[in-house]
């Protein structure tokens, strides 16, 4: 495994019941970079994203074979602690999902579950997580306000703060800006750019311009196959395959 790779996926196949959703996917994802997953609806990109923290385990009648190595450890081994895995690999969903609690309690929730009781320590984690998620200046005087009272874009940044509070190494984002207005989308994109200094980020997006703006590398999925994976610049200016070019130019999908 080369020095800067964080995730290595080998010959991954995934099934929903009899339906095969991923076909023999192999990919190496580098550390502290943004990797975008693109492709038409139903092509397997969200399924692939969820294999990286075993979220698909929550769906009945699914089956997987192949390997997903994070820091050289196969996360599908029997002895893997799923709670620890999901601490290390945080996830941001398409629809922001704050808890019906205060802003403070949303962010403090994970650290509390992980045994942090000290108010000073929790205060520090909450502040730092909200600073990192570019939300602190907007909410610092109102931390007791319900997270559900925030705007859509603020709620999504609160969910990012909540993920950051347990100190992950990898952040998975499943179309994190698709439900947001253009100004909120720009804030999320700026935030992704900042966060990659400290985290490995994998983002599913339908928005080609967004993939081109925020990512270092791009993987193009189609019908469960990984068609092409290269630097974002090359993918959008000079892809290897005609199929990739047709998708990027909007000729199908």
């Amino acid at each position: 495994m080369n020095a800067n790779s964080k995730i290595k996926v080998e010959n991954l196949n995934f099934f929903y019941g009899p339906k095969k959703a991923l076909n023999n996917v192999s990919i190496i994802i580098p550390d502290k970079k943004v990797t975008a997953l693109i492709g038409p609806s139903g092509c397997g990109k969200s399924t692939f994203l969820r294999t990286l923290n075993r979220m698909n385990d929550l769906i009945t009648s699914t089956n997987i074979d192949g390997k997903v190595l994070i820091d050289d450890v196969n996360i599908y081994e029997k002895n893997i602690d799923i709670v620890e895995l999901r601490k290390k690999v945080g996830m941001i969903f398409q629809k922001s999902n704050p808890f019906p609690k205060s802003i403070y309690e949303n962010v403090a929730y994970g650290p509390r579950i992980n045994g942090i009781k000290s108010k000073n320590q929790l205060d520090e984690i909450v502040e730092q997580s909200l600073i990192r998620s570019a939300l602190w200046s907007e909410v610092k005087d109102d931390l007791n306000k319900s997270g559900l009272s925030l705007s859509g874009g603020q709620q999504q940044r609160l969910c990012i703060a909540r993920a950051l509070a347990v100190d992950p190494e990898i952040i998975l984002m499943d179309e994190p800006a698709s439900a947001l207005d253009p100004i909120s989308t720009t804030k999320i994109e700026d935030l992704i750019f900042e966060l990659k200094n400290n985290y490995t980020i994998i983002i599913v997006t339908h928005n080609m311009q967004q993939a081109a703006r925020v990512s270092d590398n791009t993987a193009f999925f189609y019908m469960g196959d990984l068609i092409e994976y290269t630097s974002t610049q090359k993918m959008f200016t000079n892809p290897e395959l005609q199929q990739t070019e047709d998708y990027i130019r909007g000729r199908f999908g």
Side-chain angles (χ1 to χ4, degrees):
M1 199 170 180
N2 55 13
N4 70 341
S5 66
K6 186 71 176 169
I7 302 169
K8 189 175 186 183
V9 176
E10 298 175 351
N11 310 116
L12 187 72
N13 295 287
F14 188 85
F15 300 84
Y16 293 104
K19 181 181 180 296
K20 195 173 189 187
L22 293 172
N23 304 314
N24 209 32
V25 173
S26 294
I27 187 171
I28 293 176
I29 294 174
D31 193 18
K32 295 188 175 60
K33 300 278 186 206
V34 180
T35 301
L37 311 179
I38 63 169
S41 293
C43 69
K45 54 192 188 297
S46 288
T47 297
F48 174 74
L49 190 75
R50 292 194 304 266
T51 65
L52 303 179
N53 70 345
R54 294 188 51 171
M55 283 298 278
N56 291 322
D57 290 16
L58 304 172
I59 305 166
T60 52
S61 306
T62 57
N63 215 329
I64 189 163
D65 63 66
K67 287 184 179 174
V68 177
L69 301 161
I70 296 180
D71 294 330
D72 281 336
V73 174
N74 182 8
I75 65 169
Y76 284 89
E77 294 288 347
K78 293 221 174 354
N79 60 349
I80 290 294
D81 181 333
I82 306 284
V83 174
E84 283 300 309
L85 171 66
R86 293 194 188 135
K87 230 170 84 178
K88 183 172 182 169
V89 188
M91 185 144 189
I92 311 299
F93 297 92
Q94 182 172 358
K95 189 174 183 317
S96 55
N97 57 345
F99 301 138
K101 298 172 180 282
S102 69
I103 294 165
Y104 183 97
E105 288 301 333
N106 262 277
V107 184
Y109 182 82
R112 273 193 213 282
I113 282 194
N114 291 320
I116 293 174
K117 305 258 191 306
S118 151
K119 173 126 178 33
N120 287 347
Q121 209 177 340
L122 288 170
D123 287 353
E124 174 72 12
I125 290 169
V126 168
E127 182 175 341
Q128 285 307 313
S129 302
L130 289 167
I131 288 169
R132 280 196 206 134
S133 64
L135 190 57
W136 176 249
S137 62
E138 294 163 49
V139 301
K140 66 177 190 289
D141 299 324
D142 230 348
L143 294 178
N144 292 322
K145 196 165 91 168
S146 167
L148 298 171
S149 68
L150 298 172
S151 72
Q154 288 174 321
Q155 285 190 21
Q156 194 60 300
R157 282 181 284 143
L158 178 61
C159 293
I160 293 171
R162 190 174 68 196
L164 297 179
V166 295
D167 212 17
E169 295 173 24
I170 297 164
I171 302 171
L172 310 178
M173 297 185 165
D174 197 352
E175 297 198 58
S178 66
L180 304 180
D181 62 85
I183 290 169
S184 298
T185 297
T186 299
K187 284 188 175 170
I188 296 284
E189 289 181 4
D190 290 346
L191 179 54
I192 290 168
F193 205 74
E194 288 287 311
L195 290 173
K196 77 171 181 185
N197 293 316
N198 296 300
Y199 306 93
T200 301
I201 299 173
I202 300 128
I203 177 171
V204 166
T205 179
H206 268 108
N207 183 324
M208 295 293 141
Q209 290 79 15
Q210 184 172 76
R213 284 192 299 264
V214 305
S215 69
D216 301 287
N217 299 304
T218 298
F220 168 47
F221 282 81
Y222 186 69
M223 306 282 282
D225 291 312
L226 175 58
I227 305 294
E228 188 166 346
Y229 174 53
T230 186
S231 77
T232 298
Q233 187 181 10
K234 184 172 188 321
M235 178 79 81
F236 284 94
T237 56
N238 186 26
E240 291 281 315
L241 300 173
Q242 187 63 47
Q243 188 179 2
T244 311
E245 180 152 342
D246 287 348
Y247 180 70
I248 286 167
R249 304 284 173 260
R251 295 188 195 119
F252 77 95

